[in-house]
Every structure is written in C-alpha cells, then in structure tokens.
Amino acid sequence: MKRFSSVLSCSFVWMIFKLLLVLILHHHEQEGLGRGGPMTTANAFSISSSSSSSSIGQSHLHHPRGRSNNKLNSNNCCWFHICHHSNCHFHSSCSSSSSRRRTSRTTTTSTSSTTSSSSLYSQSGQGQGAGGVGVGREEHKQEINDQRNSSTSSTSTSSTITHSCLAGKRILVIGGSGRVGGSVVCQLVKHGAKVTVGGTKLESFQKSKSRWIQLLYSNDDQATASAEWKYDLESVSFELVDREDDVLMNKILKSDDAIQKNGAGRGYDLVVHTAGPFQGKVKCPNGILKACIESGVGYIDVCDDYCTACAARAKYASMAKERGVPCIVSTGCWPGVSSLMAKQLTRNVLEEKPHLQAKDLTVDFSFFTAGSGGAGATLLVATFLILAEKSLVIVNGRRKSVPAMKEYSKVDFGDFVGEKDVSHLNLLEAASCHDILGIGNVKTLFGTAPSFWNTLLGVMAQFPSSWLSNESLMEKLAIFSLPIVRVVDYFAGATNAMRVDVSCQKDPTVKEMALYAHENLEPCVGECVSAFCAALLNGSVKPGVSFPEEAIDTKEDVAAVLALASVGAHTLEVKSTCGLTQQDVWG
C-alpha cells in the first residue's frame, strides 16, 4: 500500500508537470512570451547551467534580492520592515502610490534621434511573437550603435567615461564564480581589465570558466573571437576570501605579489563585490568595504537591499571621504541603471519647469523579465522571501505599504517586448529615489512571463508571512520547483526590460519616459556593472560611499554611463514633452 501511494504521488506530480508543459507550449505559440525567434546559445546555456548564490542586484522572475541566514524578523529586517521595527538603526530614515494609470504613451520628442528610433521599429516589421524577431532585434541593436557612433563623432561631450578606462586595470571581483559575478568578469576582461576572482570555493571558480567563454561569445563570434580574449578569461586567477573578514581582505589588497603585479603602490585598482545575498545584513560587518577604504582601493557592489546599503553608507562614508576613496553601492541593472534613468528624466523636468520641485513629481519604475532570467535555487528562494514583504510606495512624500503582486496594470515595454502585466513589488528604487532625489511620489512595479507565473506569485504572496519568511521551507520549495522553472525558461527566454515614467499632477503637461530592453539578463547585468566600474576608474566619482544617483553627477557623465550600460540593448527609447532627446539619456 505504501509503495502504491508513492507511485500514485509520483504520477500525480508528473501529470501536473506535463499539464504545465502543455500550457507553456500553447502559451508560447499564442504569445511568443515577449521573446520570439529561435533559442539563442546564451539563453540555452543559462537554462542548463548551474546557479550560484550570487545576488543579481538587478532582476528576473523575482527581484533577485539576497537571502538572510535567519528568518526575517525584527532583528534581521529587510529595508521595508525598517518602517515597522524601531530597533533598526535606520528606522527614522527609512520610515501605494495612487498615480494615474497610464492609458497612453507619452508624447514623442520631435528630435532626429527619437524619430529615428521610432522608424527603426517600423522598418524592422518585427512585433511581439512575429517570426524572426531575434533577427529584427539584432538589426535594431546595430542601428542603435551606428546611430550613437554617428552622433558621438559629430557632437562633442565633456564626459571622458569610456570602456578604455578599464584597460590594464587590476580588478578583484568578489563572488566572480556566480551568475552576476561571472557576467561582470566577462565584460571587464572583454575591455582589457586584468581580473582576479575572490570566492570561498576553488571548485566553483574552476567550473565557471567554461561558462564565461560561452557567455561572452555567441555561435557567430566563436569562430572569429580573439584568442587573446579567451586566454585572458582562462588565465583569470583566484583568491580565497571571506566577505566579513577585513583583516584577510587587507592582506590580499596589500600583498607584495599583488602590488608588484599592479605596480601602483596597491594590489588592485578596484574591488567589485557581487557575493550576495545582501538581504538582512544590516548588522553584519562588510569586511570588503572596510578593507578597500583602509587600503585606498575603489569599491563597487550590487547590493539590492536598501537597509543594508544605508548601513554601509552611514558607517563608512566619512572614512571613505577622509581617505579619498570612491565607493558606489547598489549598482547594476536595477537598481543602478534604472536609478540613473530616473535622475536624468527628473533633472531635465526641473530644469525646464522652474516652477516645479522634486516633491511635485511622480516616478513610476516598471520592470519585466521573461521566465526566471536563468535563476537557480538560491535566487528562487529570494523570490519567495521577498513575497513575504509589503511593497513600499511613496505618496506625497510619505511612506506607505501595499500588498505585493496583487493588483496588475499594463505597461508597454516597446515593440519587441510588448505590453506586460506588472504589479507592486518591494524594490530598492522606491526608497532611494525619494531619499536621494527628493521625488514626492514613487512606486516600483514588476512582471514576468508567462502570465501564469504572475498569477502564481500573486497566490504565494497571500500565504502567511511566517511561511514565506521561513528560509528552510522556501529552500525546499525552490528545489522542488526548479525542474518546472527550467522548462518555462526554455520557452520564455531571459529578456530584461525597464521603463521609467515621470509625470506631475501639478503640471499635467509633464510626460517623460525612458525605456531599455535587453535580450538576455545575464550579460545585461555585466554590461551595467562594468559601466559603473569605468566611471569610478575614470575619476568621475567623488570620495565617499554613494548610491548611483549621488555617485554619477553631471548630465554628461550620466549619459556616458548609460551609453556604456546599453551597448547590448536591442531597444532604447526616450519620449519627452520637455525637450529631452535620445542622446541626452542614452549618449
């Protein structure tokens, strides 16, 4: 009887799995899942590759936040919970927007760059679900880069931030064996940096090398790829590190061998910290950041937890300023690039409309990722953990909470991705945009595909928070879910899109929009992080510990960083009623 029961249970699970597969196939034929076209090598690889525990600082099926070592509670709160727990150090600084639902696209600025961008969509003839969309996207990507090169050659800019700032620099990537860290390693090596990976397991590092090569080169590139680049990837070295041990990090940064190799009086020019999870690490020592400041080495991380980032900023900002060390927290795709998009849009509005103040503006962040973005079990756990949190929104300068993944609205992510359902999710930009830029109304929305993933996340969000915040339980659920997630990923792909809208109730004529979409989340993150690395190594970042909105100051520098971050994007748009052009945002 016991054996029969086991067989019956297995049969039931298999039936559910087959039913899901049929639904996915049907949905893929009807919709294209925002990707369309044949499976790319990068996407196929992201499905089969093993996942790491790296936090992605920027998002997929979930906003890829990290995991804490304990259940979420008042002593180990996430950044939204600081509004409720007085024992958090940042209770005072971190204490649903009813913004109008967008019923139409914002007005297009009558500039040659924006007009050209719109015409490219028409010329490609490739909409969502259309055959050969992949080809259309590649053609459009090439058109964008050609147009950018043309405008750059004919227009002078005061920013000197380029990928050449990375050439020859010694960079230590902590967590480089993971998904996020690996994509950063690839982009840094691609632009001539000398990279060392810091981690806790040599075996994981060795397994990652083949994945880096596959990530960096497509099928077409492999035949003609530079043998030197491949050698550079394979020759990346490894250092054993502990992210909480500043003494060990100081030894690494100041080692005679490293200093001799660098020849600059220090072992490394920059440290990039991608070793999540960052969630719930408010009281945990950031040995990497501390050691960087003490050793005079620039620092960048992909922390996607606002409370943890604020803790680091409060503790080390003064020390970094005194020692002249530039440090940027919470970089990457989103947060990171999304924050700069908001800064560029809102700054232009305030310059063009002097009667308005930042508190009068409304900023809506909308994010979409197809499937899970190639997430593994660890990042799936983070998805479930974040569903235990209420979503933070800023309404008239006041913090409020709304249920996560409950009420949906449609957001247009461009012709290639199309309209997608998005809902409130607790993301870092809501707090940083308000606290740093002073914006009075902010909300963060997220959606995924296929559509039943949204439904499933919404159902899960209704579970008791005590279940969702139980890391051990969520870990088991993630492992059980992984085979189904991999099947969905095969058809959904890994498209990543972000859209930022700025409006103003006081002046309804204000309608600004910037849009970014990339074919594959994994290389997208590496491109975004490497853009911030170039800015810091260029000398454009002031000493201190800063969020991206603070670190990248001038309009020209913001546009330069966004240009580097969007080199692989297949869709870039700007629509403005305040005279903002494509080049003003995307360089």
Side-chain angles (χ1 to χ4, degrees), residues 259-284:
I259 292 174
Q260 185 177 1
K261 288 181 179 178
N262 198 28
R266 58 179 181 269
Y268 294 92
D269 299 292
L270 175 66
V271 173
V272 183
H273 183 3
T274 69
F278 295 94
Q279 187 174 359
K281 296 298 188 296
V282 174
K283 297 180 180 180
C284 293

PDB file of all heavy atoms in Angstrom, residues 259-284:
ATOM      1  N   ILE A 259      50.824  43.917  -5.283  1.00  0.00           N
ATOM      2  CA  ILE A 259      51.379  45.250  -5.511  1.00  0.00           C
ATOM      3  C   ILE A 259      52.403  45.223  -6.634  1.00  0.00           C
ATOM      4  O   ILE A 259      52.464  46.108  -7.484  1.00  0.00           O
ATOM      5  CB  ILE A 259      52.003  45.801  -4.215  1.00  0.00           C
ATOM      6  CG1 ILE A 259      50.893  46.076  -3.182  1.00  0.00           C
ATOM      7  CG2 ILE A 259      52.814  47.064  -4.481  1.00  0.00           C
ATOM      8  CD1 ILE A 259      51.415  46.479  -1.825  1.00  0.00           C
ATOM      9  N   GLN A 260      53.220  44.176  -6.658  1.00  0.00           N
ATOM     10  CA  GLN A 260      54.239  44.046  -7.704  1.00  0.00           C
ATOM     11  C   GLN A 260      53.594  43.904  -9.076  1.00  0.00           C
ATOM     12  O   GLN A 260      54.043  44.501 -10.052  1.00  0.00           O
ATOM     13  CB  GLN A 260      55.141  42.849  -7.409  1.00  0.00           C
ATOM     14  CG  GLN A 260      56.308  42.708  -8.380  1.00  0.00           C
ATOM     15  CD  GLN A 260      57.213  41.547  -8.006  1.00  0.00           C
ATOM     16  OE1 GLN A 260      56.964  40.837  -7.040  1.00  0.00           O
ATOM     17  NE2 GLN A 260      58.282  41.362  -8.778  1.00  0.00           N
ATOM     18  N   LYS A 261      52.500  43.120  -9.133  1.00  0.00           N
ATOM     19  CA  LYS A 261      51.813  42.930 -10.413  1.00  0.00           C
ATOM     20  C   LYS A 261      51.153  44.224 -10.879  1.00  0.00           C
ATOM     21  O   LYS A 261      51.127  44.537 -12.061  1.00  0.00           O
ATOM     22  CB  LYS A 261      50.754  41.833 -10.287  1.00  0.00           C
ATOM     23  CG  LYS A 261      51.328  40.428 -10.182  1.00  0.00           C
ATOM     24  CD  LYS A 261      50.205  39.405 -10.073  1.00  0.00           C
ATOM     25  CE  LYS A 261      50.768  37.986  -9.985  1.00  0.00           C
ATOM     26  NZ  LYS A 261      49.683  36.986  -9.842  1.00  0.00           N
ATOM     27  N   ASN A 262      50.623  45.003  -9.929  1.00  0.00           N
ATOM     28  CA  ASN A 262      49.909  46.220 -10.303  1.00  0.00           C
ATOM     29  C   ASN A 262      50.857  47.385 -10.547  1.00  0.00           C
ATOM     30  O   ASN A 262      50.605  48.221 -11.408  1.00  0.00           O
ATOM     31  CB  ASN A 262      48.904  46.597  -9.206  1.00  0.00           C
ATOM     32  CG  ASN A 262      47.845  47.567  -9.689  1.00  0.00           C
ATOM     33  OD1 ASN A 262      47.507  47.582 -10.860  1.00  0.00           O
ATOM     34  ND2 ASN A 262      47.339  48.385  -8.789  1.00  0.00           N
ATOM     35  N   GLY A 263      51.911  47.439  -9.747  1.00  0.00           N
ATOM     36  CA  GLY A 263      52.898  48.495  -9.934  1.00  0.00           C
ATOM     37  C   GLY A 263      52.368  49.878  -9.633  1.00  0.00           C
ATOM     38  O   GLY A 263      52.808  50.867 -10.207  1.00  0.00           O
ATOM     39  N   ALA A 264      51.367  49.978  -8.743  1.00  0.00           N
ATOM     40  CA  ALA A 264      50.769  51.277  -8.449  1.00  0.00           C
ATOM     41  C   ALA A 264      50.733  51.555  -6.953  1.00  0.00           C
ATOM     42  O   ALA A 264      49.971  52.395  -6.487  1.00  0.00           O
ATOM     43  CB  ALA A 264      49.356  51.334  -9.016  1.00  0.00           C
ATOM     44  N   GLY A 265      51.540  50.843  -6.181  1.00  0.00           N
ATOM     45  CA  GLY A 265      51.572  51.066  -4.747  1.00  0.00           C
ATOM     46  C   GLY A 265      50.435  50.367  -4.012  1.00  0.00           C
ATOM     47  O   GLY A 265      50.326  50.475  -2.790  1.00  0.00           O
ATOM     48  N   ARG A 266      49.580  49.683  -4.741  1.00  0.00           N
ATOM     49  CA  ARG A 266      48.493  48.914  -4.138  1.00  0.00           C
ATOM     50  C   ARG A 266      48.227  47.696  -5.007  1.00  0.00           C
ATOM     51  O   ARG A 266      48.564  47.674  -6.193  1.00  0.00           O
ATOM     52  CB  ARG A 266      47.222  49.762  -3.991  1.00  0.00           C
ATOM     53  CG  ARG A 266      46.691  50.337  -5.306  1.00  0.00           C
ATOM     54  CD  ARG A 266      45.414  51.154  -5.079  1.00  0.00           C
ATOM     55  NE  ARG A 266      44.900  51.679  -6.331  1.00  0.00           N
ATOM     56  CZ  ARG A 266      45.220  52.865  -6.837  1.00  0.00           C
ATOM     57  NH1 ARG A 266      46.065  53.642  -6.163  1.00  0.00           N
ATOM     58  NH2 ARG A 266      44.726  53.284  -7.980  1.00  0.00           N
ATOM     59  N   GLY A 267      47.580  46.687  -4.408  1.00  0.00           N
ATOM     60  CA  GLY A 267      47.382  45.436  -5.134  1.00  0.00           C
ATOM     61  C   GLY A 267      46.361  45.504  -6.247  1.00  0.00           C
ATOM     62  O   GLY A 267      46.510  44.849  -7.279  1.00  0.00           O
ATOM     63  N   TYR A 268      45.316  46.300  -6.035  1.00  0.00           N
ATOM     64  CA  TYR A 268      44.231  46.369  -7.024  1.00  0.00           C
ATOM     65  C   TYR A 268      43.777  47.808  -7.209  1.00  0.00           C
ATOM     66  O   TYR A 268      43.902  48.645  -6.311  1.00  0.00           O
ATOM     67  CB  TYR A 268      43.053  45.504  -6.583  1.00  0.00           C
ATOM     68  CG  TYR A 268      43.366  44.022  -6.562  1.00  0.00           C
ATOM     69  CD1 TYR A 268      43.839  43.408  -5.408  1.00  0.00           C
ATOM     70  CD2 TYR A 268      43.204  43.248  -7.715  1.00  0.00           C
ATOM     71  CE1 TYR A 268      44.135  42.054  -5.390  1.00  0.00           C
ATOM     72  CE2 TYR A 268      43.510  41.896  -7.709  1.00  0.00           C
ATOM     73  CZ  TYR A 268      43.979  41.306  -6.542  1.00  0.00           C
ATOM     74  OH  TYR A 268      44.284  39.970  -6.538  1.00  0.00           O
ATOM     75  N   ASP A 269      43.225  48.085  -8.379  1.00  0.00           N
ATOM     76  CA  ASP A 269      42.661  49.404  -8.663  1.00  0.00           C
ATOM     77  C   ASP A 269      41.191  49.494  -8.241  1.00  0.00           C
ATOM     78  O   ASP A 269      40.688  50.592  -7.995  1.00  0.00           O
ATOM     79  CB  ASP A 269      42.764  49.700 -10.171  1.00  0.00           C
ATOM     80  CG  ASP A 269      44.198  49.708 -10.645  1.00  0.00           C
ATOM     81  OD1 ASP A 269      44.942  50.629 -10.244  1.00  0.00           O
ATOM     82  OD2 ASP A 269      44.577  48.791 -11.394  1.00  0.00           O
ATOM     83  N   LEU A 270      40.517  48.340  -8.172  1.00  0.00           N
ATOM     84  CA  LEU A 270      39.081  48.350  -7.880  1.00  0.00           C
ATOM     85  C   LEU A 270      38.662  46.971  -7.377  1.00  0.00           C
ATOM     86  O   LEU A 270      39.185  45.954  -7.820  1.00  0.00           O
ATOM     87  CB  LEU A 270      38.281  48.694  -9.150  1.00  0.00           C
ATOM     88  CG  LEU A 270      36.765  48.641  -9.077  1.00  0.00           C
ATOM     89  CD1 LEU A 270      36.223  49.708  -8.134  1.00  0.00           C
ATOM     90  CD2 LEU A 270      36.163  48.831 -10.472  1.00  0.00           C
ATOM     91  N   VAL A 271      37.715  46.962  -6.441  1.00  0.00           N
ATOM     92  CA  VAL A 271      37.086  45.725  -5.982  1.00  0.00           C
ATOM     93  C   VAL A 271      35.595  45.806  -6.284  1.00  0.00           C
ATOM     94  O   VAL A 271      34.944  46.815  -5.968  1.00  0.00           O
ATOM     95  CB  VAL A 271      37.299  45.507  -4.469  1.00  0.00           C
ATOM     96  CG1 VAL A 271      36.485  44.306  -3.982  1.00  0.00           C
ATOM     97  CG2 VAL A 271      38.773  45.293  -4.162  1.00  0.00           C
ATOM     98  N   VAL A 272      35.057  44.761  -6.907  1.00  0.00           N
ATOM     99  CA  VAL A 272      33.627  44.688  -7.210  1.00  0.00           C
ATOM    100  C   VAL A 272      33.026  43.565  -6.381  1.00  0.00           C
ATOM    101  O   VAL A 272      33.396  42.396  -6.537  1.00  0.00           O
ATOM    102  CB  VAL A 272      33.382  44.428  -8.716  1.00  0.00           C
ATOM    103  CG1 VAL A 272      31.882  44.424  -9.014  1.00  0.00           C
ATOM    104  CG2 VAL A 272      34.089  45.483  -9.567  1.00  0.00           C
ATOM    105  N   HIS A 273      32.121  43.913  -5.513  1.00  0.00           N
ATOM    106  CA  HIS A 273      31.522  42.954  -4.564  1.00  0.00           C
ATOM    107  C   HIS A 273      30.175  42.465  -5.113  1.00  0.00           C
ATOM    108  O   HIS A 273      29.190  43.198  -5.111  1.00  0.00           O
ATOM    109  CB  HIS A 273      31.338  43.651  -3.220  1.00  0.00           C
ATOM    110  CG  HIS A 273      30.801  42.786  -2.120  1.00  0.00           C
ATOM    111  ND1 HIS A 273      30.552  41.428  -2.270  1.00  0.00           N
ATOM    112  CD2 HIS A 273      30.460  43.082  -0.832  1.00  0.00           C
ATOM    113  CE1 HIS A 273      30.085  40.942  -1.134  1.00  0.00           C
ATOM    114  NE2 HIS A 273      30.015  41.924  -0.250  1.00  0.00           N
ATOM    115  N   THR A 274      30.144  41.228  -5.599  1.00  0.00           N
ATOM    116  CA  THR A 274      28.899  40.646  -6.124  1.00  0.00           C
ATOM    117  C   THR A 274      28.443  39.439  -5.305  1.00  0.00           C
ATOM    118  O   THR A 274      27.515  38.731  -5.707  1.00  0.00           O
ATOM    119  CB  THR A 274      29.087  40.201  -7.597  1.00  0.00           C
ATOM    120  OG1 THR A 274      29.971  39.078  -7.643  1.00  0.00           O
ATOM    121  CG2 THR A 274      29.632  41.325  -8.458  1.00  0.00           C
ATOM    122  N   ALA A 275      29.113  39.201  -4.173  1.00  0.00           N
ATOM    123  CA  ALA A 275      28.837  37.991  -3.394  1.00  0.00           C
ATOM    124  C   ALA A 275      27.657  38.193  -2.451  1.00  0.00           C
ATOM    125  O   ALA A 275      27.825  38.457  -1.268  1.00  0.00           O
ATOM    126  CB  ALA A 275      30.079  37.575  -2.610  1.00  0.00           C
ATOM    127  N   GLY A 276      26.460  38.080  -3.013  1.00  0.00           N
ATOM    128  CA  GLY A 276      25.267  38.140  -2.172  1.00  0.00           C
ATOM    129  C   GLY A 276      25.128  36.830  -1.406  1.00  0.00           C
ATOM    130  O   GLY A 276      25.967  35.935  -1.516  1.00  0.00           O
ATOM    131  N   PRO A 277      24.092  36.691  -0.603  1.00  0.00           N
ATOM    132  CA  PRO A 277      22.983  37.633  -0.504  1.00  0.00           C
ATOM    133  C   PRO A 277      23.312  38.832   0.377  1.00  0.00           C
ATOM    134  O   PRO A 277      24.139  38.764   1.267  1.00  0.00           O
ATOM    135  CB  PRO A 277      21.874  36.799   0.122  1.00  0.00           C
ATOM    136  CG  PRO A 277      22.600  35.760   0.920  1.00  0.00           C
ATOM    137  CD  PRO A 277      23.855  35.457   0.167  1.00  0.00           C
ATOM    138  N   PHE A 278      22.630  39.953   0.113  1.00  0.00           N
ATOM    139  CA  PHE A 278      22.799  41.167   0.886  1.00  0.00           C
ATOM    140  C   PHE A 278      21.632  41.414   1.838  1.00  0.00           C
ATOM    141  O   PHE A 278      21.721  42.270   2.712  1.00  0.00           O
ATOM    142  CB  PHE A 278      22.934  42.367  -0.053  1.00  0.00           C
ATOM    143  CG  PHE A 278      24.174  42.332  -0.896  1.00  0.00           C
ATOM    144  CD1 PHE A 278      24.152  41.787  -2.173  1.00  0.00           C
ATOM    145  CD2 PHE A 278      25.373  42.831  -0.422  1.00  0.00           C
ATOM    146  CE1 PHE A 278      25.293  41.753  -2.960  1.00  0.00           C
ATOM    147  CE2 PHE A 278      26.519  42.798  -1.193  1.00  0.00           C
ATOM    148  CZ  PHE A 278      26.488  42.256  -2.466  1.00  0.00           C
ATOM    149  N   GLN A 279      20.558  40.714   1.651  1.00  0.00           N
ATOM    150  CA  GLN A 279      19.375  40.939   2.460  1.00  0.00           C
ATOM    151  C   GLN A 279      19.617  40.585   3.931  1.00  0.00           C
ATOM    152  O   GLN A 279      20.224  39.566   4.257  1.00  0.00           O
ATOM    153  CB  GLN A 279      18.205  40.095   1.939  1.00  0.00           C
ATOM    154  CG  GLN A 279      16.876  40.374   2.606  1.00  0.00           C
ATOM    155  CD  GLN A 279      15.746  39.612   1.950  1.00  0.00           C
ATOM    156  OE1 GLN A 279      15.949  38.893   0.975  1.00  0.00           O
ATOM    157  NE2 GLN A 279      14.550  39.774   2.477  1.00  0.00           N
ATOM    158  N   GLY A 280      19.152  41.453   4.808  1.00  0.00           N
ATOM    159  CA  GLY A 280      19.270  41.190   6.229  1.00  0.00           C
ATOM    160  C   GLY A 280      20.666  41.288   6.777  1.00  0.00           C
ATOM    161  O   GLY A 280      20.981  40.725   7.826  1.00  0.00           O
ATOM    162  N   LYS A 281      21.556  42.016   6.097  1.00  0.00           N
ATOM    163  CA  LYS A 281      22.954  42.108   6.535  1.00  0.00           C
ATOM    164  C   LYS A 281      23.270  43.456   7.189  1.00  0.00           C
ATOM    165  O   LYS A 281      24.409  43.907   7.160  1.00  0.00           O
ATOM    166  CB  LYS A 281      23.880  41.886   5.330  1.00  0.00           C
ATOM    167  CG  LYS A 281      23.767  40.496   4.708  1.00  0.00           C
ATOM    168  CD  LYS A 281      24.173  39.416   5.693  1.00  0.00           C
ATOM    169  CE  LYS A 281      24.266  38.041   5.063  1.00  0.00           C
ATOM    170  NZ  LYS A 281      22.987  37.538   4.566  1.00  0.00           N
ATOM    171  N   VAL A 282      22.264  44.091   7.762  1.00  0.00           N
ATOM    172  CA  VAL A 282      22.469  45.398   8.374  1.00  0.00           C
ATOM    173  C   VAL A 282      23.536  45.351   9.454  1.00  0.00           C
ATOM    174  O   VAL A 282      24.398  46.231   9.536  1.00  0.00           O
ATOM    175  CB  VAL A 282      21.141  45.921   8.974  1.00  0.00           C
ATOM    176  CG1 VAL A 282      21.373  47.213   9.748  1.00  0.00           C
ATOM    177  CG2 VAL A 282      20.121  46.152   7.876  1.00  0.00           C
ATOM    178  N   LYS A 283      23.500  44.341  10.298  1.00  0.00           N
ATOM    179  CA  LYS A 283      24.421  44.263  11.431  1.00  0.00           C
ATOM    180  C   LYS A 283      25.650  43.401  11.141  1.00  0.00           C
ATOM    181  O   LYS A 283      26.518  43.262  11.995  1.00  0.00           O
ATOM    182  CB  LYS A 283      23.687  43.730  12.658  1.00  0.00           C
ATOM    183  CG  LYS A 283      22.552  44.646  13.114  1.00  0.00           C
ATOM    184  CD  LYS A 283      21.837  44.103  14.340  1.00  0.00           C
ATOM    185  CE  LYS A 283      20.714  45.028  14.769  1.00  0.00           C
ATOM    186  NZ  LYS A 283      19.992  44.527  15.976  1.00  0.00           N
ATOM    187  N   CYS A 284      25.709  42.834   9.945  1.00  0.00           N
ATOM    188  CA  CYS A 284      26.877  42.022   9.576  1.00  0.00           C
ATOM    189  C   CYS A 284      28.001  42.943   9.092  1.00  0.00           C
ATOM    190  O   CYS A 284      27.748  43.885   8.341  1.00  0.00           O
ATOM    191  CB  CYS A 284      26.529  41.030   8.473  1.00  0.00           C
ATOM    192  SG  CYS A 284      25.367  39.751   8.992  1.00  0.00           S
TER     193      CYS A 284
END
